Amino acid sequence: MGRKTLLLLLLLGVLGAYYVHTPLPDNIEEPWKLVLLNAVLKTVLNLSLFAELLGINHFMDTLMFCMSFQEVPPTSAENVTVMETTFNNVPVRVYIPNRKSQALRRGLFYIHGGGMSLGSAALFAYDELSRQTVNSLDAVVVSTDYRLAPKYHFPSQFEDVYNSLKWFLRQDVLEKYGVDPKRIGVSGDSAGGNLAAAVTQKLIDDPDVKIKLKIQSLIYPALQTLDMDLPSYRDNALLPPLTKSLTVRFWSEYFTTDRSLEKAMLFNQHTPVESAQLFKFVNWSSLLPEIFKKGHLYKSPTHDTSELFKKYPGFLDVRAAPLLADNDKLHSLPVTYVITCQYDILRDDGIMYVTRLQKAGVRVTHQHFEDGFHGAITYHGFKIRDRITNHYLSWLNENL
Ligand SMILES: *[C@@H]1O[C@H](CO)[C@@H](O)[C@H](O)[C@H]1NC(C)=O
């Protein structure tokens, strides 16, 4: 073997080790599957960063392009009719059970995740989840799309979802799909969980909407940007698939493509002096149960003296950060289900919302997965995916 070949092999080995090396907690099930998946994710992320560095394409646009290969057409099957239409000009996928039914059906309005920049109802993972929901609940499922960053910023995402939901909640639309107006729920994962929580709050005092939600279900939701130094942020900062740098990038892209907000968020130095009265709503020192604090010391976010907040006030808007709603607002929310995962940077967002909802007198079921990680419900072929999905569907079946 020549020297060049040896060097080449060495280089390949180092690169391979870099891609496959993923520091995983001991109790993760099927770790090799996650290692492989993360190697693919890392490759795609690095490719997107590289393309951005060269000025070829925005980071999110490359990611979105790579993801688009996982989209599937709206194919009807023996048990379900699938169609694409628009609700208030927002594209949606509707799944209607084929079995004849005398009674009206339950309705579930689903909002996909993807950090406000990525994803669609057409992705295989969401299409699969919608079909499973139809099968196990005999419900009508509406899986909505919404405009995405970097082209569109807050509040476009929120408004699209809200307009689409409002259309679904019209008496004539519900009649058309045979949905029982008393048994409608909203559900979403990650950024979709954020939007689900936000639209559920908004509906409470919207005089235009007479039909109210029966339940909301939030799957590892992102709920606030005020404090990006929670224990779950510290513990899981480097844990794939959702690292701290990616989380901060997603959040800041929701409001602007200006990278200065991202930099400030990374050091938790983006909150204005005026926001001090909001700290109590995200104070993990008082809102997290002891086991999740685990020796972490509370530091309140540092005040920002620049003009970031004036330029991008969205990050303290309750429609972007539902955890900032006051107790009166929370008090009126419907029955709630929250899924959190131990190995998830967004874990404490969900747990703090559970605490606040409980204190406000809302009936909440909190399902925490000790070996769960962010995004698990969308990972086809993982045992944890099926476990979370089963819990989720059986909660919906009992409560919707
Ligand atoms: C957060 O909560 C802790 C303990 O409950 C309290 O001592 C502290 O003053 C609170 N900080 C803020 C900024 O609300």
Side-chain angles (χ1 to χ4, degrees):
M1 222 182 319
R3 221 165 129 182
K4 273 186 191 150
T5 324
L6 258 176
L7 267 177
L8 185 68
L9 280 178
L10 189 69
L11 189 69
L12 281 177
V14 170
L15 271 178
Y18 161 75
Y19 274 105
V20 173
H21 175 72
T22 315
L24 290 182
D26 291 340
N27 60 335
I28 293 268
E29 199 179 31
E30 305 179 297
W32 55 275
K33 276 193 191 169
L34 198 55
V35 167
L36 278 182
L37 179 81
N38 286 330
V40 174
L41 283 177
K42 248 192 222 176
T43 311
V44 172
L45 284 172
N46 285 339
L47 190 74
S48 308
L49 281 175
F50 192 57
E52 184 166 70
L53 208 63
L54 296 180
I56 299 171
N57 211 356
H58 190 282
F59 175 66
M60 296 297 178
D61 290 334
T62 313
L63 285 181
M64 189 68 178
F65 173 76
C66 296
M67 266 178 120
S68 66
F69 294 102
Q70 294 174 43
E71 291 186 349
V72 292
T75 313
S76 294
E78 199 186 328
N79 62 329
V80 58
T81 302
V82 185
M83 54 188 188
E84 286 181 329
T85 177
T86 57
F87 281 6
N88 251 336
N89 297 320
V90 179
V92 296
R93 243 179 216 211
V94 187
Y95 299 77
I96 307 161
N98 282 342
R99 187 145 47 88
K100 287 268 172 294
S101 166
Q102 295 301 328
L104 291 172
R105 292 192 154 95
R106 297 180 278 187
L108 185 74
F109 185 88
Y110 196 89
I111 310 159
H112 71 78
M116 305 292 181
S117 290
L118 308 170
S120 78
L123 286 179
F124 171 77
Y126 292 116
D127 186 71
E128 184 188 33
L129 185 61
S130 297
R131 289 168 195 272
Q132 263 183 294
T133 310
V134 168
N135 287 345
S136 58
L137 299 182
D138 189 38
V140 172
V141 175
V142 172
S143 185
T144 195
D145 278 330
Y146 47 91
R147 284 170 296 169
L148 299 170
K151 196 159 177 211
Y152 299 99
H153 300 289
F154 174 83
S156 300
Q157 287 80 346
F158 170 86
E159 278 173 355
D160 282 0
V161 172
Y162 196 59
N163 287 333
S164 164
L165 175 62
K166 270 173 87 164
W167 183 269
F168 183 48
L169 294 179
R170 279 171 42 168
Q171 192 67 51
D172 57 330
V173 176
L174 294 176
E175 262 167 39
K176 177 177 164 191
Y177 293 112
V179 173
D180 184 345
K182 294 195 196 65
R183 301 180 79 185
I184 300 168
V186 162
S187 188
D189 62 299
S190 194
N194 168 293
L195 291 162
V199 296
T200 304
Q201 288 183 3
K202 177 82 176 170
L203 263 188
I204 292 172
D205 36 36
D206 187 333
D208 297 343
V209 190
K210 300 282 175 277
I211 293 165
K212 299 299 176 189
L213 297 173
K214 185 169 184 200
I215 60 108
Q216 64 171 335
S217 141
L218 315 175
I219 305 167
Y220 36 75
L223 296 170
Q224 60 89 31
T225 50
L226 194 55
D227 191 351
M228 305 186 95
D229 191 32
L230 308 169
S232 60
Y233 268 75
R234 297 179 195 173
D235 291 344
N236 302 313
L238 298 176
L239 196 71
L242 192 59
T243 57
K244 179 165 177 176
S245 60
L246 192 56
T247 310
V248 169
R249 181 82 199 253
F250 278 136
W251 265 125
S252 63
E253 289 287 344
Y254 191 19
F255 307 108
T256 174
T257 17
D258 170 2
R259 306 285 298 269
S260 59
L261 180 60
E262 178 191 357
K263 284 200 198 91
M265 280 178 163
L266 207 52
F267 298 101
N268 213 29
Q269 289 172 346
H270 55 294
T271 58
V273 180
E274 301 93 292
S275 69
Q277 85 287 355
L278 297 173
F279 286 173
K280 58 179 181 295
F281 296 143
V282 297
N283 186 343
W284 61 261
S285 171
S286 59
L287 295 171
L288 283 186
E290 283 308 319
I291 45 162
F292 298 107
K293 295 192 213 169
K294 222 180 39 189
H296 289 290
L297 229 53
Y298 182 74
K299 259 197 359 235
S300 67
T302 334
H303 292 304
D304 164 53
T305 44
S306 71
E307 298 286 289
L308 277 175
F309 175 65
K310 293 216 173 68
K311 279 203 265 185
Y312 315 113
F315 66 84
L316 291 180
D317 191 309
V318 71
R319 293 170 300 166
L323 195 59
L324 301 184
D326 60 28
N327 295 339
D328 284 348
K329 181 55 142 303
L330 298 187
H331 174 74
S332 318
L333 288 170
V335 173
T336 301
Y337 181 61
V338 180
I339 289 178
T340 56
C341 290
Q342 182 65 16
Y343 303 115
D344 179 0
I345 195 161
L346 299 179
R347 179 194 73 197
D348 297 345
D349 280 27
I351 299 176
M352 289 198 290
Y353 204 44
V354 168
T355 307
R356 291 205 52 216
L357 291 175
Q358 282 168 342
K359 282 188 181 160
V362 178
R363 219 181 90 210
V364 193
T365 306
H366 178 204
Q367 182 91 51
H368 182 67
F369 290 89
E370 280 298 336
D371 58 348
F373 47 89
H374 195 79
I377 206 167
T378 56
Y379 291 168
H380 182 81
F382 283 69
K383 280 188 197 155
I384 180 115
R385 186 253 170 216
D386 297 335
R387 203 150 28 93
I388 295 180
T389 308
N390 289 340
H391 277 282
Y392 162 73
L393 291 175
S394 80
W395 185 88
L396 282 180
N397 200 26
E398 280 163 32
N399 293 277
L400 181 58

